[in-house]
Amino acid sequence: MDEDEDDADWDTSSGSSAPASTGGGCSDGSRRVVLHFDLDCFYAQVEMVRNPALRDVPLGVQQKYIVVTCNYVAREYGVTKLMSVTAAKEKCPQLVLVKGEDLTHYRETSYKVTELLMSYCPLVERLGFDENFMDITEIVNGKIREAPVTDYCFSGHVYNCQAAGVRASEYPRLAVGSQIAAELRGALHSRLGLTSCAGIASSKLLAKLVSGAHKPNQQTTLLPKYTGDIIGSLTGLRQIPGIGYRTGEKLKALGLLAVRDLQVFHLAALAKEFGEANAQRIQNLAHGIDESPVTPSGPPQSLSDEDSFKEISTVTETVKKLEDLLTSLLERMHKDGRQPSTFRLTIRRFSSTDRWFSRESRQCPIPIHIGQKVISGSSEALPQLVSIGIKLFHKLIDTSAPFHLTLMNVCFSNLLSRRDTKGSIKSFFTAKSPSRQDKKPEPQGF
Ligand code: DCP
Ligand code: MG
Ligand code: MG
């Protein structure tokens, strides 16, 4: 239900396709230490921080007719994420619902979390709104070099083990990683009031897989020798992070459903469908191997806003919707401080068969004088951009015939910073302006 988020995938394509060792332990100094953080019931937590009276009641966050998430009190009643409001009310009649269509607070909190993690170590990669990867290999190595200790211990759970029974000195780097994860989760809680889960492992894939092993507000470390176990616990290919909807569909068409199917499938046949490097990467994922680096996210490369609705079928309604969307987008763009140079309009026509994938877009350059008005916050920017939007709309839709839209998205891209324009840019993440978190992450995925 996010306007631009995909909660499942990240790009694992930039790593080497060479298989990494999945065995071994303490002596492997080259093994990375990667953390994955996932905030608990994120939208619901943001609402609980804003209004503490909601903390102890069953709480759901509603977008349209769906409860996109709910707090853990509501989960005890059987309410689940992405349940219909009707079904959720049946499970828990006293469920308190708050509207979650305005993402402003979620977005702001999301960037505060990334910013806090980045203040500890710059190697932070965002995934969706409520997840971050962090590569702390260097910090861990430094700690071990500077102050060797003998009495290592794990903080939190160790996957498949009783943490107290594990000889942490055999895994000093993961043990130190778990201490750092605990420290950072503590900071998120004390500074932002947010609880989270964390996974500690040697890759993004494994850290993400293990972070949800104990929920909420807990953390889990994966020892290399349990890689096979955690991969074996997955009940389908789509549960492998990095295998999104489209890849999953292609694999299904090849007859592959279970993780084991993919592990043993002939690589050459897989390469015919995906290309050699991609095929190797996908098969590696099924073996728990992921060499993709943590890539610092930096500022978003575009800002967009969208709404879905039952029906828009007149030009007047279209103009009104464009005005609404552009008003909020312009405010965010103004706070961002960069100058947009491309405007894209996306619509979805009603289709009874192809509900999710029938989006169509047109884009055009934004004249410099209008881009400058966006930065300066001039009220003239809105009507001028609405007029550009309507021109794009007419390229998409023949209004002399009946039409039926169910979604509209407006997007500014090619954002020019101070290096490129004379205007000023407020530094992302570090500016003192209260607007500094008011950005939207780019969609993640393949
Ligand atoms: N979200 C959404 N639409 C989706 C998936 C997620 O709007 N299809 C939003 C609501 C969630 C947030 O993204 O609060 C983060 O998604 P998660 O899957 O991490 O779910 P939660 O953080 O809510 O719960 P959990 O405690 O299980 O992580
Ligand atoms: Mg979450
Ligand atoms: Mg999440």
Side-chain angles (χ1 to χ4, degrees):
M1 301 291 284
D2 273 350
E3 66 203 60
D4 59 355
E5 292 298 308
D6 182 336
D7 60 348
D9 307 330
W10 79 85
D11 189 348
T12 55
S13 56
S14 44
S16 139
S17 60
S21 155
T22 50
C26 62
S27 58
D28 184 0
S30 65
R31 189 177 284 287
R32 289 181 297 155
V33 183
V34 176
L35 307 181
H36 173 260
F37 295 90
D38 188 326
L39 294 158
D40 297 325
C41 58
F42 180 48
Y43 289 6
Q45 263 210 93
V46 173
E47 298 298 344
M48 295 190 295
V49 168
R50 292 179 71 207
N51 178 5
L54 297 172
R55 269 200 180 281
D56 302 317
V57 301
L59 173 70
V61 178
Q62 177 178 1
Q63 287 180 353
K64 305 274 156 51
Y65 303 104
I66 301 286
V67 175
V68 286
T69 193
C70 54
N71 66 2
Y72 279 79
V73 182
R75 292 187 199 190
E76 283 187 10
Y77 289 90
V79 182
T80 59
K81 297 188 268 188
L82 303 178
M83 200 176 231
S84 74
V85 169
T86 321
K89 281 280 191 188
E90 263 166 32
K91 292 269 180 206
C92 176
Q94 68 273 42
L95 183 70
V96 176
L97 288 170
V98 295
K99 293 269 184 201
E101 268 127 16
D102 179 355
L103 303 182
T104 308
H105 295 289
Y106 312 141
R107 187 183 298 122
E108 283 179 1
T109 307
S110 171
Y111 276 97
K112 278 185 191 162
V113 167
T114 303
E115 185 177 8
L116 198 151
L117 295 175
M118 282 179 69
S119 69
Y120 189 83
C121 159
L123 274 181
V124 179
E125 178 177 339
R126 293 167 58 78
L127 179 68
F129 264 14
D130 86 328
E131 296 174 39
N132 288 275
F133 291 106
M134 196 169 183
D135 187 326
I136 53 164
T137 310
E138 286 308 316
I139 294 175
V140 167
N141 289 347
K143 273 187 192 274
I144 289 179
R145 260 197 317 270
E146 281 156 27
V149 266
T150 43
D151 53 345
Y152 287 103
C153 66
F154 281 102
S155 183
H157 302 274
V158 180
Y159 186 80
N160 256 2
C161 305
Q162 294 293 331
V166 181
R167 299 226 318 237
S169 54
E170 285 184 24
Y171 310 96
R173 301 165 73 252
L174 287 172
V176 170
S178 76
Q179 304 290 349
I180 293 173
E183 199 182 309
L184 289 169
R185 288 177 49 242
L188 290 173
H189 191 240
S190 61
R191 302 228 211 126
L192 303 175
L194 298 167
T195 63
S196 57
C197 287
I200 303 98
S202 59
S203 69
K204 292 200 295 185
L205 169 74
L206 297 175
K208 180 168 164 71
L209 276 179
V210 82
S211 72
H214 296 275
K215 288 167 77 168
N217 196 18
Q218 296 173 74
Q219 64 175 60
T220 315
T221 303
L222 182 75
L223 305 180
K225 63 183 173 188
Y226 292 115
T227 298
D229 288 29
I230 200 164
I231 291 288
S233 73
L234 304 178
T235 54
L237 284 174
R238 279 301 311 281
Q239 287 187 342
I240 300 179
I243 297 200
Y245 176 80
R246 281 164 206 275
T247 308
E249 288 300 298
K250 285 184 186 173
L251 292 170
K252 209 193 281 176
L254 293 172
L256 311 182
L257 293 171
V259 176
R260 182 85 192 134
D261 299 338
L262 179 54
Q263 286 176 345
V264 300
F265 197 66
H266 207 269
L267 187 60
L270 206 58
K272 273 197 189 136
E273 179 64 42
F274 295 99
E276 223 162 276
N278 218 8
Q280 180 69 69
R281 181 182 63 82
I282 293 166
Q283 196 162 54
N284 278 348
L285 292 176
H287 286 292
I289 299 164
D290 167 31
E291 295 284 290
S292 67
V294 172
T295 309
S297 303
Q301 283 161 18
S302 65
L303 294 193
S304 67
D305 209 344
E306 81 176 31
D307 196 14
S308 59
F309 29 79
K310 278 222 165 76
E311 175 166 4
I312 279 187
S313 48
T314 66
V315 174
T316 316
E317 290 169 313
T318 305
V319 173
K320 175 78 180 70
K321 184 54 73 182
L322 255 178
E323 275 171 358
D324 288 351
L325 289 172
L326 278 169
T327 302
S328 82
L329 186 60
L330 279 171
E331 205 173 300
R332 284 172 47 217
M333 200 67 251
H334 172 57
K335 284 182 185 173
D336 179 283
R338 286 175 293 172
Q339 182 175 318
S341 45
T342 303
F343 177 24
R344 184 173 68 233
L345 176 72
T346 303
I347 51 133
R348 185 178 64 202
R349 293 176 212 250
F350 176 76
S351 157
S352 50
T353 50
D354 194 11
R355 202 164 155 230
W356 299 111
F357 297 108
S358 50
R359 289 179 178 222
E360 300 160 67
S361 299
R362 285 286 182 283
Q363 66 178 45
C364 68
I366 298 174
I368 289 168
H369 68 280
I370 299 182
Q372 283 166 345
K373 283 177 186 153
V374 176
I375 300 191
S376 69
S378 159
S379 60
E380 289 169 19
L382 178 65
Q384 293 178 342
L385 283 158
V386 170
S387 136
I388 295 177
I390 285 297
K391 281 189 192 130
L392 293 173
F393 172 74
H394 283 293
K395 287 190 182 167
L396 286 160
I397 300 281
D398 172 8
T399 52
S400 63
F403 64 92
H404 178 168
L405 306 185
T406 61
L407 174 142
M408 189 182 291
N409 175 302
V410 288
C411 175
F412 291 147
S413 58
N414 290 323
L415 308 178
L416 306 178
S417 63
R418 187 168 45 180
R419 274 197 313 271
D420 317 302
T421 69
K422 285 193 219 119
S424 75
I425 179 169
K426 293 156 196 161
S427 162
F428 192 72
F429 288 130
T430 53
K432 293 288 174 254
S433 150
S435 65
R436 65 190 185 273
Q437 289 92 17
D438 197 14
K439 315 293 192 301
K440 178 181 302 192
E442 281 295 282
Q444 310 269 346
F446 295 109

